């Protein structure tokens, strides 16, 4: 089937690029901003303030960490803007590590992302959506666990279908729900400042009270804050589908990151205006507690807003993670079946379905939140490795075309921050760090057997080939075609 499609199109030399079976450039500047903001503003800002305050200990320290996390994410985004425009490949960290340091480090990042980071993140976001969307229906009793998981699975399946069907439609979903979640945060900010104008400023009179003294505590507090900023590099996962990436990638970063940072800091000021530090620490859903104290009979709208926020964030996560799987398979680090594109819709349907299934698997366990803690420092390690790749390529390949070239001060500073975030939690949470390192190490034998071992038994090769062909037939897919102009 794939051969027939290719031969048919090779015979039509005058055919436009739109008929090629490849990922299309359907993401505009507005959609790019929507993807970044839509992925970042998920459930984090509505629940993470507790974690930041718990470890930083004081109101002032908490606000400083929220602002600092925004600056850190902006610096990281600028570094990734250089990487994303000089290495014009989807896959973000995977593509950059592969380009700079080779196959094994890139595969280890892909291994951790496929095994835990991506599916666990999607599962947690889906579960958060389900809990909040169901909360108005169970105001005075516990939500049935089966209902939560069913709604979460349905949400993942629906968004996977949308992403399979149309890239523009998926981007539009992100745009719509980005507006919704920003509106929810504006409600919180405006309400908080109205309360401040009425004299509710008692929580700011002793802003340093209870401040932590351990560097490890602040590092873990940064983890909670950076969790809410997670997704600042997601546009780099879809660089090949971005219209005019040299222009629109940095523009999207400069628009979205200051916007998100400003909104986050103001939202936390609003939280502390209405809630005492103790009330905030006792709440598992800060935004809902805030609404209960300020919105009266309209407090039911906040769970709906949070559900919309997580729905849009999950859509962006599914969209970007499928491109990571696709690029990994295209490079030979995942099964060939994941590197196929649907002939009709030009979307990586096998990768999307793979991500859907593996995310749903994590809906069956109650320990997904612990798994996130196990891999948090691993994510920081690989982001640091990507920034090391930027510095290495500056030295090793100085003539590489760099449409965006940032001052070396920024990647060096960001790398130092990554070292701080990786090293200090080793003293506070050594078990989680050890488990995370073990997960990374388990990818080495998989790489040696699955990637480096070229002379596999003929029977195994036939099974792999048959699975790929069946995927092509079942999902009406073929391999990506090379650019005809090359």
């Amino acid at each position: 089937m794939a051969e027939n499609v290719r031969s048919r199109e090779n015979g039509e030399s005058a055919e436009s690029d739109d008929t090629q079976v490849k990922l299309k450039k359907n993401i505009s500047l507005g959609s790019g901003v929507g993807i970044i903001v839509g992925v970042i503003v998920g459930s984090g800002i509505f629940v993470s303030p507790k974690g930041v305050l718990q470890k930083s200990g004081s109101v002032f320290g908490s606000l400083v960490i929220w602002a600092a996390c925004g600056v850190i994410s902006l610096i990281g985004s600028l570094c990734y803007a250089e990487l994303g425009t000089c290495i014009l490949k989807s896959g973000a960290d995977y593509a950059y590590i592969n380009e700079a340091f080779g196959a094994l480090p890139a595969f280890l990042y892909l291994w951790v992302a496929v095994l835990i980071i991506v599916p666990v993140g999607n599962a947690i976001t889906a579960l958060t959506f389900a809990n909040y969307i169901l909360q108005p229906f169970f105001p005075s009793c516990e939500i049935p666990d089966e209902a939560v998981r069913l709604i979460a699975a349905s949400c993942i399946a629906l968004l996977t279908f949308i992403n399979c069907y149309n890239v523009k439609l998926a981007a539009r979903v992100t745009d719509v729900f980005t507006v919704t979640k920003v509106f929810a945060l504006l409600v919180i900010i405006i309400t908080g400042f109205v309360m401040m104008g009425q004299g509710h400023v008692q929580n700011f009179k002793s802003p340093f009270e209870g401040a932590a003294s351990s560097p490890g505590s602040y590092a873990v507090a940064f983890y909670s804050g950076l969790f809410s900023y997670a997704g600042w590099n997601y546009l780099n996962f879809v660089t090949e589908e971005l219209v005019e990436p040299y222009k629109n990638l940095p523009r999207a970063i400069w628009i979205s990151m200051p916007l998100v940072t400003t909104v986050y800091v103001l939202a936390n000021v609003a939280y502390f205006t209405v809630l005492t530090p103790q009330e905030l620490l006792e709440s598992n859903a800060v935004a809902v507690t805030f609404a209960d104290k300020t919105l009266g009979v309209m407090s039911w709208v906040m769970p709906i807003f949070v559900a919309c926020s997580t729905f849009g964030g999950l859509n962006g996560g599914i969209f970007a993670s499928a491109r990571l799987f696709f690029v990994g398979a295209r490079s030979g680090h995942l099964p060939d079946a994941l590197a196929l594109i649907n002939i009709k819709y030009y979307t990586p349907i096998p990768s999307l379905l793979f991500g859907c299934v593996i995310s749903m698997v994590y809906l069956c366990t109650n320990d997904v939140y612990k798994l996130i803690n196990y891999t948090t420092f691993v994510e920081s390690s690989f982001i640091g490795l990507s920034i090391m790749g930027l510095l290495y390529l500056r030295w090793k390949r100085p003539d590489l075309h760099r449409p965006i070239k940032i001052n070396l001060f920024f990647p060096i500073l960001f790398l130092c921050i990554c070292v701080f975030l990786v090293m200090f939690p080793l003293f506070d949470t050594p078990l989680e760090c050890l488990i995370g390192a073990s997960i990374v190490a388990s990818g080495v034998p998989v790489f040696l057997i699955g990637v480096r071992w070229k002379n596999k038994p003929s029977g195994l090769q036939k099974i792999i080939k048959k699975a790929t062909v069946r995927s092509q037939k079942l999902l009406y897919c073929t391999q990506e075609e090379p650019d005809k102009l090359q």
Side-chain angles (χ1 to χ4, degrees):
M1 174 178 162
E3 289 78 2
N4 290 339
V5 172
R6 282 194 288 272
S7 61
R8 181 175 72 249
E9 296 197 8
N10 287 337
E12 298 174 7
S13 57
E15 194 174 18
S16 69
D17 181 69
D18 287 340
T19 63
Q20 282 186 267
V21 182
K22 59 185 294 186
L23 300 177
K24 305 299 181 182
K25 291 186 177 296
N26 288 320
I27 302 175
S28 63
L29 172 61
S31 293
V33 172
I35 288 173
I36 296 176
V37 176
V39 173
I40 291 177
V41 185
S43 59
I45 185 57
F46 300 107
V47 294
S48 285
K50 174 181 177 179
V52 175
L53 178 61
Q54 197 171 40
K55 292 299 181 180
S56 63
S58 67
V59 171
F60 178 79
S62 179
L63 294 176
V64 168
I65 285 175
W66 279 102
C69 286
V71 174
I72 291 170
S73 300
L74 175 61
I75 294 173
S77 298
L78 294 176
C79 295
Y80 274 57
E82 175 174 327
L83 287 166
T85 51
C86 72
I87 304 172
L88 205 59
K89 299 176 182 178
S90 293
D93 299 87
Y94 170 76
Y96 312 146
I97 294 172
N98 194 27
E99 187 78 17
F101 302 116
L104 178 57
F107 177 83
L108 293 178
Y109 168 77
L110 186 64
W111 172 251
V112 175
V114 169
L115 195 64
I116 294 213
I117 294 174
V118 169
V120 169
N122 289 345
I124 288 179
T125 306
L127 290 170
T128 305
F129 166 81
N131 274 297
Y132 277 98
I133 202 69
L134 290 172
Q135 191 168 17
F137 300 99
F138 299 89
S140 57
C141 61
E142 188 175 347
I143 303 172
D145 188 63
E146 293 79 6
V148 172
R149 298 186 189 284
L150 179 61
I151 294 297
S154 300
C155 178
I156 292 174
L158 173 62
L159 289 174
T160 299
F161 170 78
I162 291 173
N163 278 271
C164 288
Y165 180 71
N166 191 291
V167 171
K168 290 183 178 179
L169 178 59
R172 200 168 295 124
V173 168
T174 298
D175 294 344
V176 170
F177 282 95
T178 295
V179 173
T180 305
K181 66 182 70 178
V182 171
F183 179 75
L185 288 170
L186 288 177
V187 169
I188 292 173
I189 292 168
I190 293 170
T191 303
F193 276 86
V194 169
M195 298 289 288
M196 184 179 288
Q198 295 173 351
H200 295 268
V201 294
Q202 60 273 16
N203 294 330
F204 298 101
K205 292 181 179 179
S206 302
F208 298 98
E209 184 178 348
S213 57
S214 167
S217 295
Y218 283 103
V220 177
F222 269 103
Y223 275 164
S224 295
L226 290 172
F227 172 76
S228 294
Y229 284 93
W232 52 262
N233 61 338
Y234 263 44
L235 195 59
N236 290 64
F237 282 93
V238 295
T239 306
E240 295 176 33
E241 297 169 82
L242 184 65
V243 176
E244 296 186 279
Y246 294 153
K247 294 180 180 179
N248 287 334
L249 181 60
R251 287 175 180 174
I253 290 169
W254 276 113
I255 294 171
S256 57
M257 293 311 304
L259 172 64
V260 171
T261 303
T262 302
V263 169
Y264 274 14
V265 172
L266 293 179
N268 277 275
V269 170
Y271 287 147
F272 285 119
T273 301
V274 174
L275 305 174
T276 66
Q278 188 60 36
E279 286 175 327
L280 195 148
L281 290 174
E282 291 174 355
S283 173
N284 290 321
V286 178
V288 175
T289 305
F290 178 94
D292 289 340
K293 294 195 67 170
T294 58
L295 300 182
V297 295
M298 293 300 294
S299 61
W300 60 269
V301 303
M302 192 54 66
I304 303 299
F305 281 145
V306 177
C308 291
S309 174
T310 53
F311 188 84
L314 178 59
N315 181 67
I318 290 173
F319 182 89
S321 60
R323 272 61 185 177
L324 173 62
F325 301 154
F326 173 84
V327 173
R330 188 174 62 182
S331 301
H333 288 176
L334 288 176
D336 292 340
L338 298 181
L340 301 175
I341 299 176
N342 182 267
I343 295 172
K344 183 177 181 181
Y345 301 118
Y346 304 111
T347 54
I349 288 181
S351 288
L352 285 162
L353 294 178
F354 173 75
C356 175
V357 171
I358 198 170
S359 296
M360 287 189 179
V361 168
Y362 281 98
L363 297 178
C364 302
T365 178
N366 295 321
D367 294 330
V368 288
Y369 296 95
K370 291 183 179 179
L371 292 172
I372 282 290
N373 291 332
Y374 296 154
T375 57
T376 299
F377 100 103
V378 176
E379 290 185 83
S380 298
S381 300
F382 280 109
I383 288 174
L385 189 60
S386 295
I387 302 303
M388 288 178 61
L390 184 154
L391 297 171
Y392 177 78
L393 290 173
R394 283 280 193 98
W395 168 64
K396 198 70 175 180
R397 298 171 61 182
D399 297 330
L400 184 67
H401 178 55
R402 295 177 173 84
I404 298 171
K405 190 174 183 179
I406 64 171
N407 191 292
L408 278 176
F409 169 78
F410 293 107
I412 292 173
L413 173 63
F414 192 80
L415 185 59
C416 292
I417 293 170
C418 288
V419 171
F420 167 77
L421 293 175
V422 170
M423 296 303 297
F424 280 98
L426 288 172
F427 301 100
D428 275 34
T429 56
L431 178 61
E432 286 83 352
C433 296
L434 177 62
I435 293 175
S438 300
I439 293 171
V440 175
S442 68
V444 175
V446 177
F447 174 79
L448 295 175
I449 296 171
V451 179
R452 279 288 174 87
W453 186 22
K454 300 299 183 182
N455 299 321
K456 297 181 178 68
S458 58
L460 179 59
Q461 292 183 20
K462 287 180 181 179
I463 292 174
I464 296 173
K465 185 175 181 180
K466 186 177 292 186
T468 303
V469 172
R470 285 185 176 177
S471 298
Q472 288 179 296
K473 292 178 178 179
L474 180 63
L475 301 174
Y476 198 55
C477 292
T478 187
Q479 293 178 346
E480 183 181 40
E481 294 184 355
D483 197 328
K484 294 178 182 180
L485 297 179
Q486 293 180 350

